[in-house]
């Protein structure tokens, strides 16, 4: 649930976005959603370093791939072996990336005040907010949508006690969505966007 702006401004520690991104706090009245995915140096939202970031816009039942954001970060972060085995982003693979500050700025300009959607979106939200807070002094005020929660609601509407496979692959399989380049940021956002479309506009 997104707090009303007047209430948020009364909370202790509230810090508004700088002028460049002040519009992020405005209510969104359009029909677009931005699907986001981050790949990090380790699977820890407090310590994982951002290595790649992707985002696509979903408008109605269409993924706007031509305007997708897909950036790799030029990071010297030591990468946990388990993380490397998942996303294959070694240090040498990141040499031609952009700075973390540039990646975050590109993301903020891209997403605007639109709702943000993802699979395990709380992890991505925590990673992004950590960087945005350090660089610009605020946190994302956008509305967030968790795909797996949409999935659970759609299934349990008819069979409340059904056992569900809530893994990424489980949702993709049940929704008949292709898993595209799993554990690349862009591949994951495309698959997640297809899940979102299937759940919002079922055939």
């Amino acid at each position: 649930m997104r707090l009303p702006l007047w209430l948020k401004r009364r909370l202790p520690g509230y810090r508004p976005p700088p002028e460049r991104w002040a519009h992020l706090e405005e209510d969104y009245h359009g029909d677009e959603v931005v699907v986001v995915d981050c790949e990090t140096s380790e699977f820890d939202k407090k310590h994982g370093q951002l290595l790649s970031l992707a985002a696509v816009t979903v408008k109605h039942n269409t993924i706007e791939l031509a305007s997708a954001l897909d950036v790799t970060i030029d990071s010297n972060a030591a990468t946990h072996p388990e993380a490397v085995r998942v996303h294959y982003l070694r240090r040498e693979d990141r040499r031609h990336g952009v700075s973390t500050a540039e990646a975050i700025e590109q993301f903020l300009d891209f997403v605007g005040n639109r709702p943000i959607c993802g699979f395990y979106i709380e992890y991505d939200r925590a990673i992004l907010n950590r960087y945005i807070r350090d660089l610009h002094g605020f946190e994302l005020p956008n509305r967030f949508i968790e795909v797996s929660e949409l999935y659970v609601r759609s299934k349990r509407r008819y069979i409340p006690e059904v056992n569900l496979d809530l893994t990424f692959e489980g949702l993709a399989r049940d929704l008949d969505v292709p898993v595209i380049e799993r554990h690349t940021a862009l591949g994951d956002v495309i698959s997640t966007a297809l899940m979102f479309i299937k759940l919002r506009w079922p055939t």
Side-chain angles (χ1 to χ4, degrees):
M1 180 179 176
R2 180 171 173 172
L3 291 175
L5 185 55
W6 65 267
L7 178 57
K8 186 183 298 184
R9 286 174 173 167
R10 296 184 178 208
L11 294 177
Y14 165 78
R15 293 184 66 182
E19 184 177 355
R20 177 174 173 180
W21 297 296
H23 63 284
L24 269 67
E25 291 194 310
E26 297 173 3
D27 290 336
Y28 181 69
H29 301 291
D31 55 4
E32 297 179 344
V33 169
V34 177
V35 182
V36 174
D37 184 74
C38 302
E39 299 295 340
T40 55
S41 61
E42 58 181 294
F43 306 122
D44 184 326
K45 62 186 179 183
K46 292 184 179 179
H47 305 290
Q49 300 298 303
L50 189 62
L51 302 182
S52 66
L53 168 65
V56 295
T57 300
V58 174
K59 184 178 178 65
H60 297 297
N61 60 349
T62 302
I63 303 171
E64 299 187 350
L65 277 178
S67 60
L69 176 68
D70 183 21
V71 293
T72 300
I73 286 80
D74 181 11
S75 168
N76 287 320
T79 310
H80 193 282
E82 286 298 321
V84 173
R85 280 193 285 272
V86 168
H87 54 55
Y88 304 108
L89 280 171
R90 303 163 300 171
R91 287 188 183 182
E92 53 266 39
D93 300 321
R94 311 190 300 258
R95 287 176 182 164
H96 301 293
V98 303
S99 68
T100 305
E102 183 177 344
I104 291 298
E105 288 184 6
Q106 286 186 38
F107 170 73
L108 291 171
D109 289 339
F110 183 90
V111 72
N113 65 334
R114 296 177 292 183
I116 298 172
C117 174
F119 184 88
Y120 192 21
I121 193 61
E122 280 305 312
Y123 180 80
D124 300 296
R125 181 181 190 173
I127 294 292
L128 291 166
N129 274 337
R130 201 178 79 218
Y131 282 98
I132 294 167
R133 191 167 51 242
D134 290 346
L135 289 164
H136 303 292
F138 74 102
E139 295 186 355
L140 288 165
N142 307 61
R143 182 167 70 91
F144 283 80
I145 301 168
E146 171 57 51
V147 162
S148 65
E149 290 181 4
L150 296 179
Y151 176 75
V152 169
R153 286 202 297 270
S154 72
K155 290 293 182 179
R156 292 188 172 157
R157 181 182 309 161
Y158 305 106
I159 311 175
E161 302 302 322
V162 66
N163 290 321
L164 301 172
D165 180 354
L166 296 180
T167 63
F168 189 94
E169 289 79 7
L171 265 68
R173 184 168 50 251
D174 190 42
L175 296 171
D176 194 24
V177 164
V179 176
I180 301 168
E181 296 183 0
R182 180 73 170 114
H183 293 300
T184 64
L186 185 59
D188 282 357
V189 295
I190 294 171
S191 293
T192 303
L194 289 169
M195 294 178 196
F196 175 76
I197 289 170
K198 281 285 189 81
L199 289 163
R200 279 293 173 91
W201 293 278
T203 55

